Amino acid sequence: MSFLRSCGSWAVQRATVNKLPMNLRGERRLSLPTTDATELRVFRRMCIACGRNHNSMSVLPKRYFSSSQSHMISTRKPYLIVVKEKESPKEDGAMAQLKQVLDVRLEQLLEESLKHGEPGRFYRYPKPLRTVNRPSRQKGHQPHSKRKPGFLEPKNQTDNKSSSHASTQPKRKFKAKELSLKSVQSSNVAQSQKEDVASFPEGGMPKERIAPVKDRTLSSSEVAGTERTKSRLKSYRTRGETENSRMLLKSQKVDQSEKVDPDIKDDKLVIARTDPKTPEKPDKKHMYHIMRDKSIYLEPLIEVCMFKNMTKRALSEFNSLKSKMPIDVGIYNMMLKGLAQKGALGNIRTLFDSMAASGINPDAQSYAAVLQCIGRMKFRHLQTITKCLSDMALHDITIDDLFLKTTFSNDDRSVMLEVIQEVNPDYIPPRPLPRPHATCGLVQDLYQDEAELSDGQNDESAVGHGSLGCSGLLTKEEFQDKFKEQLDLEIKEAAVIKSIEEDGNPDKNTLQKREILQQHKKVWKMSLVQAIKEEREAFKRKGRGISGPDQRSYAGMLYPFLNILKPEEFADLMLQAVADTLACSTEGLGSYSLSHELGNRVHRKLIIRSKLQKGFAEKLEQMYDAFADYHLSEEMMQRYKPREYWQQLEDELLDGPSLNHETKPWKTLTNASLGIVLVKMIARELRLDTAIMNPQAERKLIPAFYNVYIFKGTKNVNYIKPHPTLVDLMEGAKEPDMTFDTTVLPMLVPPLPWNSCKYGGYLLTETRIARCPEGSQQDQELSDPSRLKDWYPVMDSLNQLSAVPWRVNKPILDVIISVFKNNGSKELNIPQPASVLPQPPSITSETSKADAAHVYRERSLYQKLRGEMHSLRMTDLYKLSIANKYRDEIFWFPYNLDFRGRVYPCPPHFNHLGNDVTRSILVFAKGRPLGDKGLDWLKIHLINLTGFLKKSSNQDRLKYAEEKMPLILDSADNPLEGQKWWQGADKQWQSLACCMEIANAMRSDNPAEFISYFPIHQDGSCNGLQHYAALGRDKIGAEQVNLHPFDVPQDVYIGVADLVEQQRAQDAEDGVEIAQLLEGKVERKVVKQTVMTIVYGVTVYGAKLQILKQLREKEGLDRFQKSLASKYLASAVFNSLLKMFTKTREIQSWLTDSAYYIAKAGHCVDWVTPLGFPVAQPYFKQRYGKYDDVGRSNVQIDTLKQKNGFAPNFIHSLDSTHMMLTSLYCQQAGITYVSVHDCFWTHASTVDEMNQICREQFVKLHGQPVLQNLSSFLDNKYGDITISKSVKKKPQNAEIQTIGDIVKQVPKPGEFDLTNVLQSTYFFS
């Protein structure tokens, strides 16, 4: 031992370490099956005492075992040696002798390891092996020789833990002499030195090697395993030597002799025993939960196996898990349905026996599968059919239930009916049950019987607007053609759109970069395809021959998921994700987010193909042919809501598959686990040639993406970022074609109406009605079919919005595209390319240290601005390219909700909720004559868009428009070369579009008959405060937000600014220095943002930052004074709002306090909107490494977010309710209507009618006891919960004991008369 301590340094010969395969990190690892404690201490001390850190060589406990190595660990503790080579110092004789000794011992250990199992095969459990507890010998105790293997224990494994049972233990098949360091030193060192390294097989082991271990007898399985291992070792290659990498270098004309393997570092060789073809270990926390809770992947696995015809694998997984986890009848039905398609009646009998043994009662879907299976058999036994029907009766299931309570695929219904009629020839299936009506009292008059509905809507006041549906836009044949085109798009799952940057004459530099990018993409695809194939084979090998899921590896579990798509389709999907989410910005994306997105994309493709497999497309085409008649008839659209008509079609067309078949979403971890495999392949396989931008540079392949860790708050988040060279390449290539998923594009036909919370929107692509976390409380409530009728009004509102057709405003689009192509414009809010930024200065040898620091700051700012400009440019490129693609089309937007009930279009890039540019491009597809007042509304709307006369009446705005008519016409005729009056507007592009519409109307023969497609906006006056003032009947506040009628609009921002100025003047007189400095600086602009966000729960600190941002433009104050002034003004604004909105602050405090105590009790705050939509706040604190029963992180309630979010979210749910009510009654009146939250759109000729409906529904909504209903709901659900003594209470709440004590303290309303809203012109204007 003293000899070892005296050694100065040492290194392991490359000949030794090269015998092990290298993993993707350039590491080679060796498992040491040694038990000699002295020897292990020697290795450990040589790492430390010789001045080498653990990055060079380390001896660590090995916690991940493979099943083939588990026989080594009954009494031994395996260790892991990681060796990284660097240049050895000059050696003396003692050092050389020590190296020889260590080389011999490492070779012996390696040879012994190879005889016992495969190198590189790590077990995927993140916890140590569990050994079998040996109880003392008792009566009835099973002898060891007959004992079944324990958890993860191979059948032949022995246990030497307890010497007390030596007599019962079987003899070992072999005996290996434990070698100490002394025995190693006495071995034949000279023989090791004579062996030639070059004679070894590449990447493998020599056929004969020194092995001073005594001979032992190997079992046949061990011999076979050793031979397989050696054959595999011969085929190992490092990634840098792949054929695809050579092709890329060859395409870039790179000399192979100059190629540098990117996986081998310059000064180190990292050694690890990992097969390059072996799947990498997933994120530990994800994998742990998947392996611990098999329900996470069981349902998706069955779904995938049935889709890919892997019935045996599905049965194997199911049978191995049914006794280890609770399985409900739904999972049994998945199995039964898949087996029924195969006619496997024997397997179905087995499953029914299993259900009986588990105490699970089969339902109607279970027996339907049995009858469908019998119907697909060549020979049908009447006795079996009769037995099935009699068993049904025992479970109180009738034959009618088989048709009323089940879903069908393909011809299931007709097959089952045929089987039933063999024993009951006179049986006729029942008609579907009548649909229930909506129960919400707010809209009860809209849901009447059909006869009453038709009698009340056949008068001229209800019919005749001519603005609903597609009548006059499309013929029946055109409608059918557009349906087929949309269906084909969704089947292909993507659409190729030409970029607006492509003008047909790209410059030489662009062509060169396109060629380079295409070469890379070609090689990338080949690499990814090959990697997918290798990954499949490796996963298949890992999952083969394993007895059950408790012993099944992570790789074996994921094997079916990697068969959903072809390798080429997987490669296309990954390359598309690269183009969409990674390569367009240097910021990159969180690796977990990217993994989840990739898993989602695969699942979406699986859903679409599964629907096609079940015959959905044929049934959908049949139903949509009849649904076209509805959209082509305005009278039908007023008599029936889209949902009602679609349900009527479903009840009539019963044959074929059920279209409302529920598809369960995959758990978050299932998506992420599949995505992790794909993300690692992206990072591993995609390489760049370093000489892309600089041909003079050394040419070698480098990763196109790299992993970094970024602190987000207190969390260290893994990001995958593109190499800057790749971003520059894609930016410079300006690819002519862009590929988009169909989910981000408008539809060419009206969306499917929402008739359940799981079915609606796109034809085949799965869409959810609410954007809430899967498995959350809100998601579970929305999945309850018994409450479906409560949500009919919400669904009908979404369907009304979805039924509005749109078209592109081509003149405006052409102007915007011309500005975009001309390098954009900062003044017109068209993003400029990053190339317009001036280059930052460079550092030279003459640069001083201070100047160099300044240059570094400038370069950092340059990179940040460059990334932001590129992202903004790409965003506008997407929306303008999509608009250009649809310039000659009529299209529709599908809609869904966020968790608060607010409505959003599903396509994210191009919709009317976008910015000023996007809104200016969109107009209604169906026009209406302007009529008597339409032209006036166009002029008023134009002045509203400019923002010039915010405090003036409509009459003054109309007069101003007449005065500016020459400038308006000039703007329309010469937008970019004229006097450019429109460019001074707040909303420039919408103002220009309105100028063009006014010019066209003015120049028509009769403006009253001019057909206008232009939408007129009516915007709420600080809508959040309007709802607060209505809830509290706050008289002063109601007047400030125009709930009370005035001749001119009231501006709440000016009102608050005036109160703040009064307080400032008083303080200035009292000698307050900061108040004196602010003289003349308190303006509307300074306080506007704070007043606007007060309803959304902004704090005093947040208000200070908002005001400070505005004060930075003011002169006369230094930095310190501006900070003091912002704090002073924030306090003054809050005091002013307390005076103006007294009841508002009381309601806010009550909502906040209620949410605080509910969250402290461990519950998320939830409520039901007046229209019946359930809301639950999804605010949690994530606790990493722990998971709940739906596969999400096991989370803790975020009390602060629950508390601060309740008030604004409740108000958002009210403004959404008001919008939906207006939508439903506008449809009843035959008015075209869409909205952007609290901004309502309609034709110019129907503005007055929409305004009347808007006001009536607001009064109707707040005429309900909204706060009292909320109090009752919270009291019933949480009222009995006792508040913990540890919870802090406000002084005024010191006496409360339960949550019910606080939620019952509803603020008393004021004296404002809500009916005044009906006469208020500027309530919405």
Short mmCIF file of all heavy atoms in Angstrom, two decimals, residues 328-340 345 348-349 351-353 355-356 360-374 388-389 391-392 395 397-398 401-403 405-408 416:
data_model
loop_
_atom_site.label_atom_id
_atom_site.label_comp_id
_atom_site.label_asym_id
_atom_site.label_seq_id
_atom_site.Cartn_x
_atom_site.Cartn_y
_atom_site.Cartn_z
N ASP A 328 -60.26 -0.78 -14.68
CA ASP A 328 -61.71 -0.59 -14.75
C ASP A 328 -62.26 -1.22 -16.01
O ASP A 328 -61.53 -1.74 -16.86
CB ASP A 328 -62.06 0.90 -14.68
CG ASP A 328 -61.43 1.70 -15.80
OD1 ASP A 328 -60.99 1.11 -16.80
OD2 ASP A 328 -61.37 2.95 -15.68
N VAL A 329 -63.57 -1.16 -16.14
CA VAL A 329 -64.24 -1.82 -17.26
C VAL A 329 -63.88 -1.15 -18.58
O VAL A 329 -63.93 -1.77 -19.64
CB VAL A 329 -65.77 -1.82 -17.03
CG1 VAL A 329 -66.34 -0.40 -17.14
CG2 VAL A 329 -66.47 -2.75 -18.01
N GLY A 330 -63.48 0.13 -18.55
CA GLY A 330 -63.11 0.82 -19.78
C GLY A 330 -61.90 0.20 -20.45
O GLY A 330 -61.85 0.07 -21.68
N ILE A 331 -60.89 -0.19 -19.63
CA ILE A 331 -59.70 -0.82 -20.20
C ILE A 331 -60.04 -2.21 -20.73
O ILE A 331 -59.56 -2.63 -21.79
CB ILE A 331 -58.58 -0.88 -19.15
CG1 ILE A 331 -58.22 0.54 -18.69
CG2 ILE A 331 -57.36 -1.59 -19.70
CD1 ILE A 331 -57.14 0.58 -17.64
N TYR A 332 -60.89 -2.93 -19.99
CA TYR A 332 -61.34 -4.23 -20.50
C TYR A 332 -62.04 -4.07 -21.84
O TYR A 332 -61.84 -4.86 -22.78
CB TYR A 332 -62.28 -4.90 -19.50
CG TYR A 332 -61.58 -5.71 -18.44
CD1 TYR A 332 -61.33 -5.20 -17.17
CD2 TYR A 332 -61.15 -7.01 -18.70
CE1 TYR A 332 -60.70 -5.93 -16.19
CE2 TYR A 332 -60.52 -7.77 -17.73
CZ TYR A 332 -60.29 -7.23 -16.48
OH TYR A 332 -59.65 -7.97 -15.53
N ASN A 333 -62.85 -3.03 -21.97
CA ASN A 333 -63.58 -2.83 -23.22
C ASN A 333 -62.65 -2.51 -24.38
O ASN A 333 -62.93 -2.87 -25.52
CB ASN A 333 -64.61 -1.71 -23.05
CG ASN A 333 -65.80 -2.14 -22.22
OD1 ASN A 333 -66.05 -3.34 -22.05
ND2 ASN A 333 -66.52 -1.19 -21.66
N MET A 334 -61.55 -1.81 -24.09
CA MET A 334 -60.57 -1.57 -25.14
C MET A 334 -60.02 -2.88 -25.67
O MET A 334 -59.88 -3.08 -26.89
CB MET A 334 -59.44 -0.70 -24.61
CG MET A 334 -59.81 0.74 -24.33
SD MET A 334 -58.40 1.68 -23.65
CE MET A 334 -57.28 1.67 -25.03
N MET A 335 -59.70 -3.78 -24.75
CA MET A 335 -59.20 -5.09 -25.17
C MET A 335 -60.26 -5.88 -25.91
O MET A 335 -60.00 -6.48 -26.96
CB MET A 335 -58.72 -5.86 -23.94
CG MET A 335 -57.50 -5.29 -23.26
SD MET A 335 -56.04 -5.38 -24.29
CE MET A 335 -55.99 -7.12 -24.68
N LEU A 336 -61.47 -5.87 -25.37
CA LEU A 336 -62.56 -6.64 -25.99
C LEU A 336 -62.86 -6.15 -27.39
O LEU A 336 -63.09 -6.95 -28.31
CB LEU A 336 -63.81 -6.55 -25.12
CG LEU A 336 -63.75 -7.24 -23.74
CD1 LEU A 336 -64.96 -6.87 -22.90
CD2 LEU A 336 -63.68 -8.75 -23.92
N LYS A 337 -62.83 -4.85 -27.57
CA LYS A 337 -63.15 -4.29 -28.88
C LYS A 337 -62.10 -4.68 -29.91
O LYS A 337 -62.41 -5.01 -31.06
CB LYS A 337 -63.27 -2.78 -28.77
CG LYS A 337 -64.11 -2.14 -29.86
CD LYS A 337 -64.51 -0.73 -29.49
CE LYS A 337 -65.53 -0.19 -30.49
NZ LYS A 337 -66.01 1.15 -30.13
N GLY A 338 -60.82 -4.63 -29.49
CA GLY A 338 -59.77 -5.03 -30.41
C GLY A 338 -59.82 -6.51 -30.75
O GLY A 338 -59.61 -6.90 -31.90
N LEU A 339 -60.12 -7.34 -29.76
CA LEU A 339 -60.21 -8.79 -30.01
C LEU A 339 -61.43 -9.13 -30.84
O LEU A 339 -61.41 -10.08 -31.64
CB LEU A 339 -60.25 -9.53 -28.68
CG LEU A 339 -58.97 -9.44 -27.83
CD1 LEU A 339 -59.20 -10.03 -26.45
CD2 LEU A 339 -57.82 -10.15 -28.53
N ALA A 340 -62.50 -8.34 -30.69
CA ALA A 340 -63.71 -8.60 -31.47
C ALA A 340 -63.45 -8.41 -32.96
O ALA A 340 -64.02 -9.13 -33.80
CB ALA A 340 -64.84 -7.68 -31.00
N LEU A 345 -62.81 -15.18 -30.05
CA LEU A 345 -63.79 -15.43 -29.01
C LEU A 345 -63.17 -16.09 -27.79
O LEU A 345 -63.59 -15.83 -26.66
CB LEU A 345 -64.93 -16.30 -29.57
CG LEU A 345 -66.13 -16.52 -28.64
CD1 LEU A 345 -66.78 -15.20 -28.28
CD2 LEU A 345 -67.14 -17.46 -29.30
N ILE A 348 -61.71 -13.50 -25.63
CA ILE A 348 -62.77 -12.72 -25.00
C ILE A 348 -63.36 -13.46 -23.82
O ILE A 348 -63.65 -12.88 -22.77
CB ILE A 348 -63.85 -12.37 -26.05
CG1 ILE A 348 -63.31 -11.33 -27.04
CG2 ILE A 348 -65.13 -11.87 -25.39
CD1 ILE A 348 -64.27 -10.93 -28.12
N ARG A 349 -63.52 -14.79 -23.95
CA ARG A 349 -64.02 -15.58 -22.82
C ARG A 349 -63.06 -15.46 -21.64
O ARG A 349 -63.49 -15.32 -20.48
CB ARG A 349 -64.15 -17.05 -23.24
CG ARG A 349 -65.35 -17.37 -24.11
CD ARG A 349 -65.60 -18.85 -24.12
NE ARG A 349 -66.71 -19.22 -24.99
CZ ARG A 349 -66.57 -19.74 -26.21
NH1 ARG A 349 -65.36 -19.97 -26.69
NH2 ARG A 349 -67.62 -20.06 -26.94
N LEU A 351 -61.08 -13.00 -20.92
CA LEU A 351 -61.20 -11.68 -20.32
C LEU A 351 -62.46 -11.58 -19.47
O LEU A 351 -62.45 -10.95 -18.40
CB LEU A 351 -61.21 -10.61 -21.41
CG LEU A 351 -59.87 -10.34 -22.10
CD1 LEU A 351 -60.02 -9.26 -23.16
CD2 LEU A 351 -58.81 -9.92 -21.10
N PHE A 352 -63.55 -12.18 -19.91
CA PHE A 352 -64.77 -12.15 -19.11
C PHE A 352 -64.58 -12.93 -17.80
O PHE A 352 -65.09 -12.52 -16.75
CB PHE A 352 -65.95 -12.72 -19.91
CG PHE A 352 -66.77 -11.68 -20.60
CD1 PHE A 352 -66.34 -11.10 -21.78
CD2 PHE A 352 -67.97 -11.24 -20.07
CE1 PHE A 352 -67.08 -10.14 -22.42
CE2 PHE A 352 -68.72 -10.26 -20.69
CZ PHE A 352 -68.28 -9.70 -21.88
N ASP A 353 -63.86 -14.04 -17.87
CA ASP A 353 -63.56 -14.78 -16.64
C ASP A 353 -62.71 -13.92 -15.70
O ASP A 353 -62.92 -13.93 -14.47
CB ASP A 353 -62.81 -16.07 -16.97
CG ASP A 353 -63.69 -17.07 -17.71
OD1 ASP A 353 -64.94 -16.91 -17.64
OD2 ASP A 353 -63.15 -17.96 -18.38
N MET A 355 -62.71 -10.66 -15.57
CA MET A 355 -63.58 -9.62 -15.01
C MET A 355 -64.39 -10.17 -13.84
O MET A 355 -64.53 -9.51 -12.80
CB MET A 355 -64.52 -9.07 -16.09
CG MET A 355 -63.81 -8.28 -17.18
SD MET A 355 -64.89 -7.84 -18.56
CE MET A 355 -65.92 -6.60 -17.79
N ALA A 356 -64.91 -11.35 -14.01
CA ALA A 356 -65.69 -11.96 -12.93
C ALA A 356 -64.82 -12.21 -11.70
O ALA A 356 -65.25 -11.96 -10.56
CB ALA A 356 -66.32 -13.27 -13.42
N ILE A 360 -65.52 -7.17 -11.46
CA ILE A 360 -65.90 -6.09 -12.37
C ILE A 360 -67.09 -6.54 -13.20
O ILE A 360 -67.05 -7.60 -13.83
CB ILE A 360 -64.71 -5.72 -13.29
CG1 ILE A 360 -63.53 -5.22 -12.45
CG2 ILE A 360 -65.12 -4.66 -14.31
CD1 ILE A 360 -62.29 -4.94 -13.25
N ASN A 361 -68.14 -5.76 -13.19
CA ASN A 361 -69.33 -6.09 -13.96
C ASN A 361 -69.20 -5.56 -15.38
O ASN A 361 -68.93 -4.38 -15.59
CB ASN A 361 -70.57 -5.49 -13.32
CG ASN A 361 -70.88 -6.11 -11.97
OD1 ASN A 361 -70.68 -7.32 -11.78
ND2 ASN A 361 -71.33 -5.31 -11.02
N PRO A 362 -69.39 -6.41 -16.38
CA PRO A 362 -69.36 -5.93 -17.76
C PRO A 362 -70.53 -4.99 -18.04
O PRO A 362 -71.59 -5.10 -17.41
CB PRO A 362 -69.44 -7.21 -18.60
CG PRO A 362 -69.96 -8.25 -17.68
CD PRO A 362 -69.63 -7.85 -16.28
N ASP A 363 -70.34 -4.05 -18.94
CA ASP A 363 -71.41 -3.14 -19.31
C ASP A 363 -71.89 -3.43 -20.73
O ASP A 363 -71.51 -4.44 -21.33
CB ASP A 363 -70.94 -1.68 -19.18
CG ASP A 363 -69.72 -1.37 -20.04
OD1 ASP A 363 -69.35 -2.22 -20.88
OD2 ASP A 363 -69.13 -0.28 -19.88
N ALA A 364 -72.72 -2.55 -21.26
CA ALA A 364 -73.29 -2.78 -22.58
C ALA A 364 -72.20 -2.85 -23.65
O ALA A 364 -72.29 -3.64 -24.60
CB ALA A 364 -74.29 -1.66 -22.90
N GLN A 365 -71.15 -2.03 -23.51
CA GLN A 365 -70.07 -2.05 -24.49
C GLN A 365 -69.35 -3.39 -24.48
O GLN A 365 -68.90 -3.88 -25.53
CB GLN A 365 -69.09 -0.92 -24.20
CG GLN A 365 -68.06 -0.66 -25.28
CD GLN A 365 -68.65 0.00 -26.52
OE1 GLN A 365 -69.24 1.07 -26.45
NE2 GLN A 365 -68.52 -0.66 -27.65
N SER A 366 -69.24 -4.02 -23.31
CA SER A 366 -68.58 -5.32 -23.21
C SER A 366 -69.35 -6.38 -23.98
O SER A 366 -68.77 -7.15 -24.76
CB SER A 366 -68.43 -5.73 -21.74
OG SER A 366 -67.86 -4.69 -20.97
N TYR A 367 -70.65 -6.45 -23.77
CA TYR A 367 -71.45 -7.46 -24.46
C TYR A 367 -71.59 -7.15 -25.93
O TYR A 367 -71.71 -8.07 -26.76
CB TYR A 367 -72.83 -7.56 -23.80
CG TYR A 367 -72.79 -8.25 -22.46
CD1 TYR A 367 -72.94 -7.53 -21.28
CD2 TYR A 367 -72.58 -9.63 -22.36
CE1 TYR A 367 -72.89 -8.15 -20.04
CE2 TYR A 367 -72.53 -10.25 -21.13
CZ TYR A 367 -72.68 -9.52 -19.97
OH TYR A 367 -72.63 -10.15 -18.75
N ALA A 368 -71.57 -5.88 -26.29
CA ALA A 368 -71.59 -5.54 -27.72
C ALA A 368 -70.36 -6.10 -28.42
O ALA A 368 -70.44 -6.59 -29.55
CB ALA A 368 -71.66 -4.02 -27.89
N ALA A 369 -69.20 -6.07 -27.74
CA ALA A 369 -67.97 -6.62 -28.32
C ALA A 369 -68.10 -8.13 -28.53
O ALA A 369 -67.63 -8.67 -29.54
CB ALA A 369 -66.78 -6.31 -27.42
N VAL A 370 -68.75 -8.82 -27.58
CA VAL A 370 -68.94 -10.27 -27.73
C VAL A 370 -69.77 -10.58 -28.96
O VAL A 370 -69.42 -11.43 -29.79
CB VAL A 370 -69.60 -10.84 -26.47
CG1 VAL A 370 -69.87 -12.33 -26.66
CG2 VAL A 370 -68.73 -10.62 -25.25
N LEU A 371 -70.89 -9.88 -29.12
CA LEU A 371 -71.76 -10.14 -30.26
C LEU A 371 -71.09 -9.76 -31.58
O LEU A 371 -71.28 -10.43 -32.60
CB LEU A 371 -73.07 -9.37 -30.09
CG LEU A 371 -73.92 -9.80 -28.87
CD1 LEU A 371 -75.14 -8.90 -28.72
CD2 LEU A 371 -74.35 -11.25 -29.01
N GLN A 372 -70.30 -8.68 -31.57
CA GLN A 372 -69.59 -8.30 -32.79
C GLN A 372 -68.54 -9.34 -33.13
O GLN A 372 -68.30 -9.63 -34.32
CB GLN A 372 -68.94 -6.93 -32.60
CG GLN A 372 -69.95 -5.79 -32.51
CD GLN A 372 -69.38 -4.56 -31.82
OE1 GLN A 372 -68.16 -4.45 -31.65
NE2 GLN A 372 -70.24 -3.65 -31.40
N CYS A 373 -67.90 -9.91 -32.11
CA CYS A 373 -66.92 -10.98 -32.35
C CYS A 373 -67.59 -12.20 -32.98
O CYS A 373 -67.09 -12.78 -33.94
CB CYS A 373 -66.24 -11.34 -31.04
SG CYS A 373 -65.05 -12.68 -31.16
N ILE A 374 -68.73 -12.56 -32.43
CA ILE A 374 -69.46 -13.72 -32.98
C ILE A 374 -69.85 -13.45 -34.42
O ILE A 374 -69.79 -14.33 -35.30
CB ILE A 374 -70.70 -14.01 -32.12
CG1 ILE A 374 -70.27 -14.44 -30.71
CG2 ILE A 374 -71.59 -15.07 -32.77
CD1 ILE A 374 -71.42 -14.58 -29.74
N CYS A 388 -74.97 -15.28 -24.21
CA CYS A 388 -74.55 -13.88 -24.05
C CYS A 388 -75.75 -13.00 -23.68
O CYS A 388 -75.66 -12.17 -22.77
CB CYS A 388 -73.91 -13.38 -25.34
SG CYS A 388 -73.42 -11.65 -25.28
N LEU A 389 -76.87 -13.21 -24.34
CA LEU A 389 -78.06 -12.40 -24.07
C LEU A 389 -78.61 -12.68 -22.67
O LEU A 389 -79.10 -11.77 -21.99
CB LEU A 389 -79.12 -12.65 -25.13
CG LEU A 389 -78.75 -12.26 -26.58
CD1 LEU A 389 -79.88 -12.58 -27.54
CD2 LEU A 389 -78.41 -10.77 -26.65
N ASP A 391 -76.79 -13.65 -20.07
CA ASP A 391 -75.87 -13.00 -19.13
C ASP A 391 -76.15 -11.50 -19.05
O ASP A 391 -76.04 -10.89 -17.98
CB ASP A 391 -74.43 -13.22 -19.56
CG ASP A 391 -73.95 -14.64 -19.26
OD1 ASP A 391 -74.66 -15.34 -18.51
OD2 ASP A 391 -72.89 -15.03 -19.76
N MET A 392 -76.49 -10.91 -20.16
CA MET A 392 -76.84 -9.49 -20.16
C MET A 392 -78.02 -9.22 -19.24
O MET A 392 -78.01 -8.24 -18.47
CB MET A 392 -77.19 -9.02 -21.58
CG MET A 392 -76.01 -8.87 -22.50
SD MET A 392 -76.50 -8.63 -24.23
CE MET A 392 -77.78 -7.41 -24.06
N HIS A 395 -77.24 -8.85 -15.65
CA HIS A 395 -76.62 -7.57 -15.28
C HIS A 395 -77.53 -6.38 -15.61
O HIS A 395 -77.06 -5.24 -15.68
CB HIS A 395 -75.28 -7.41 -16.01
CG HIS A 395 -74.22 -8.34 -15.52
ND1 HIS A 395 -73.99 -9.58 -16.09
CD2 HIS A 395 -73.31 -8.22 -14.51
CE1 HIS A 395 -72.99 -10.18 -15.47
NE2 HIS A 395 -72.56 -9.39 -14.50
N ILE A 397 -78.94 -5.47 -18.33
CA ILE A 397 -78.62 -4.82 -19.61
C ILE A 397 -79.56 -5.37 -20.67
O ILE A 397 -79.65 -6.59 -20.88
CB ILE A 397 -77.15 -5.07 -20.02
CG1 ILE A 397 -76.21 -4.50 -18.96
CG2 ILE A 397 -76.85 -4.45 -21.39
CD1 ILE A 397 -74.75 -4.84 -19.20
N THR A 398 -80.29 -4.50 -21.31
CA THR A 398 -81.23 -4.91 -22.35
C THR A 398 -80.57 -4.85 -23.72
O THR A 398 -79.50 -4.25 -23.90
CB THR A 398 -82.47 -4.00 -22.34
OG1 THR A 398 -82.07 -2.67 -22.71
CG2 THR A 398 -83.10 -3.96 -20.95
N ASP A 401 -80.07 -1.40 -24.92
CA ASP A 401 -78.90 -0.71 -24.39
C ASP A 401 -77.69 -0.87 -25.29
O ASP A 401 -76.81 0.00 -25.33
CB ASP A 401 -78.57 -1.23 -22.99
CG ASP A 401 -79.62 -0.84 -21.96
OD1 ASP A 401 -80.34 0.14 -22.21
OD2 ASP A 401 -79.71 -1.52 -20.92
N LEU A 402 -77.63 -2.00 -26.00
CA LEU A 402 -76.50 -2.22 -26.90
C LEU A 402 -76.45 -1.19 -28.02
O LEU A 402 -75.38 -0.91 -28.57
CB LEU A 402 -76.58 -3.63 -27.51
CG LEU A 402 -76.54 -4.81 -26.52
CD1 LEU A 402 -76.64 -6.12 -27.28
CD2 LEU A 402 -75.27 -4.77 -25.69
N PHE A 403 -77.60 -0.64 -28.38
CA PHE A 403 -77.66 0.34 -29.46
C PHE A 403 -77.70 1.78 -28.94
O PHE A 403 -77.34 2.71 -29.66
CB PHE A 403 -78.89 0.08 -30.33
CG PHE A 403 -78.83 -1.22 -31.07
CD1 PHE A 403 -79.33 -2.39 -30.50
CD2 PHE A 403 -78.25 -1.29 -32.33
CE1 PHE A 403 -79.27 -3.59 -31.18
CE2 PHE A 403 -78.18 -2.50 -33.01
CZ PHE A 403 -78.68 -3.66 -32.43
N LYS A 405 -76.34 2.83 -25.76
CA LYS A 405 -75.28 3.20 -24.81
C LYS A 405 -73.89 2.77 -25.25
O LYS A 405 -72.98 2.69 -24.43
CB LYS A 405 -75.58 2.59 -23.44
CG LYS A 405 -76.89 3.07 -22.83
CD LYS A 405 -77.12 2.43 -21.48
CE LYS A 405 -78.44 2.89 -20.85
NZ LYS A 405 -78.68 2.26 -19.53
N THR A 406 -73.71 2.48 -26.52
CA THR A 406 -72.40 2.03 -27.00
C THR A 406 -71.98 2.85 -28.22
O THR A 406 -72.79 3.55 -28.82
CB THR A 406 -72.44 0.54 -27.40
OG1 THR A 406 -73.41 0.35 -28.43
CG2 THR A 406 -72.80 -0.32 -26.21
N THR A 407 -70.70 2.75 -28.53
CA THR A 407 -70.17 3.38 -29.73
C THR A 407 -69.69 2.29 -30.68
O THR A 407 -69.35 1.18 -30.26
CB THR A 407 -69.00 4.32 -29.39
OG1 THR A 407 -67.98 3.58 -28.70
CG2 THR A 407 -69.47 5.47 -28.50
N PHE A 408 -69.65 2.63 -31.96
CA PHE A 408 -69.36 1.63 -32.98
C PHE A 408 -68.22 2.10 -33.88
O PHE A 408 -67.98 3.30 -34.04
CB PHE A 408 -70.59 1.35 -33.85
CG PHE A 408 -71.80 0.91 -33.07
CD1 PHE A 408 -72.83 1.80 -32.80
CD2 PHE A 408 -71.90 -0.39 -32.60
CE1 PHE A 408 -73.95 1.40 -32.09
CE2 PHE A 408 -73.01 -0.79 -31.88
CZ PHE A 408 -74.04 0.10 -31.62
N MET A 416 -73.63 -6.52 -35.37
CA MET A 416 -74.29 -6.89 -34.12
C MET A 416 -75.79 -7.10 -34.34
O MET A 416 -76.39 -8.04 -33.79
CB MET A 416 -74.06 -5.81 -33.08
CG MET A 416 -74.58 -6.15 -31.69
SD MET A 416 -74.12 -4.92 -30.45
CE MET A 416 -75.07 -3.51 -31.00
#
